[in-house]
Amino acid sequence: MKRLNLLIAVLLLASACAPIAKSSSAKEFKVVVIGKSVHPYWSNVEKGVRAAARDLGLRNDQAVFFVPPKEDVASQIQTMETYIAQGATGIAIAPSDPNALEPVMKKAAEQGLLVTTLDTPPIKGSVSLVYIGTDNFSAGEAAGQTMAKLLPSGGKVGVARGSDTALNALQRTEGFKEGIKGTRITMLEPVNDKEDFTQALALANSVISAHPDLAGAFGVYATNGPAWAGAIREAKKVGQIKLVCFDATTDIINGIKEGVIDATVAQREFDMGYKSVQIIYKMFKDGTDKALAEMGVKDGVIDTGVDVITASTLKDYEATLDEKDIPHDWNTKGWELKK
Ligand code: BGC
């Protein structure tokens, strides 16, 4: 009996001293990637998430992808709460409003979850361990410089975006202003559709009818390029209103082929999804510092880069995607650049 009591005491002591850190068994790992809207852009992010999960040997339920139907801060917060309660290993989020999301991101970090951001940056001093995405200011600046080349004599440019709070939208707009500095282009006040396509189209139509002399249009989000293109076609102003937008979803590439979109700044959203899963998995396995160092994080950022595409560079762009094995639903077969 005495020996049994001693054994129990030893076992109790051993369990009290056991480290409380989560076991690194791959089965318990779960990463959640939270995007911003139901949209082909986010489907590409999801493809990156799925590809990383497959390469890491994770089951589907170990790499969850979630997006609300359109920009919805409350739904992002609610989803974070759900996965904090479930005890996920890590969450990667594109905060639609970085100030509103920070408290719940902090709560997650305090409860031991690995928190990162993708596509749109967090606030300064955030608990986010890394931001994986575009350098939005310089990408916006590239869009502005492209517009400046398209409009050598200047003119009015309308701006449409899907958020007035997400930092990627704000930084792209600021970058665009920088890109047109010193030119005769004047930028109109941006309109906000909250990533609702019907709303985006209605706003594009109303900007075009309110400004018959509109010379250019800038689409800040992937929703905006096709919305501007639809409104420009409807107003029979293809070629007359120069259109520069963001992203390379199928409808945007079709707009370039058709000639209604003059240029687009393509992001690398597949990589954003892939790398978000990869880095959280590495952090879980090898520790945060090692993961950040091995994935080349600089100043808390992995800059995924952009490609500025026009009709003349479209085929080269397609070739680079194919080389890197990045899926795309469009192709340039049978299409030739009009000279
Ligand atoms: C942005 C995303 C946005 C998407 C769809 C992209 O340009 O980076 O934040 O959700 O467009 O509108």
Side-chain angles (χ1 to χ4, degrees), residues 35-42 71 94 96 118-120 134 136 161-163 166 168-169 172 193-196 219-224 246-247 265 267 269 272:
K36 294 168 67 199
S37 64
V38 173
H39 191 277
Y41 173 89
W42 286 104
E71 290 264 345
S96 282
L118 75 158
D119 175 69
T120 182
T134 300
N136 288 291
R161 60 192 185 188
S163 174
N168 60 353
R172 285 176 206 174
D193 52 65
K194 301 191 172 152
E195 297 199 38
D196 176 333
V220 178
Y221 274 1
T223 329
N224 303 118
F246 258 79
D247 301 306
V265 181
Q267 300 189 83
E269 66 270 25
M272 295 181 204

Side-chain angles (χ1 to χ4, degrees), residues 140-210:
E141 192 176 8
Q145 287 163 349
T146 306
M147 184 64 88
K149 279 195 205 132
L150 289 163
L151 294 177
S153 356
K156 266 188 210 166
V157 172
V159 179
R161 60 192 185 188
S163 174
D164 286 337
T165 49
L167 285 180
N168 60 353
L170 302 179
Q171 291 166 349
R172 285 176 206 174
T173 311
E174 284 314 301
F176 186 84
K177 278 186 198 157
E178 189 62 33
I180 58 169
K181 229 185 208 161
T183 69
R184 287 161 59 204
I185 294 173
T186 49
M187 196 188 102
L188 300 175
E189 201 47 46
V191 291
N192 176 12
D193 52 65
K194 301 191 172 152
E195 297 199 38
D196 176 333
F197 186 77
T198 315
Q199 183 67 2
L201 186 60
L203 286 168
N205 276 324
S206 66
V207 173
I208 291 177
S209 45

Side-chain angles (χ1 to χ4, degrees), residues 290-307:
K290 196 166 173 217
L292 294 178
E294 277 181 9
M295 298 243 339
V297 175
K298 268 194 212 115
D299 301 323
V301 173
I302 294 181
D303 180 355
T304 40
V306 294
D307 300 281

Side-chain angles (χ1 to χ4, degrees), residues 84-160:
I84 294 171
Q86 281 187 17
T89 313
I91 299 182
I93 180 157
S96 282
D97 180 340
N99 288 301
L101 261 304
E102 189 62 22
V104 72
M105 287 162 62
K106 190 158 177 258
K107 178 175 171 187
E110 281 167 1
Q111 299 204 8
L113 278 81
L114 300 161
V115 180
T116 66
T117 39
L118 75 158
D119 175 69
T120 182
I123 57 165
K124 269 206 184 84
S126 165
V127 294
S128 164
L129 296 161
V130 58
Y131 161 66
I132 302 178
T134 300
D135 174 339
N136 288 291
F137 183 86
S138 34
E141 192 176 8
Q145 287 163 349
T146 306
M147 184 64 88
K149 279 195 205 132
L150 289 163
L151 294 177
S153 356
K156 266 188 210 166
V157 172
V159 179

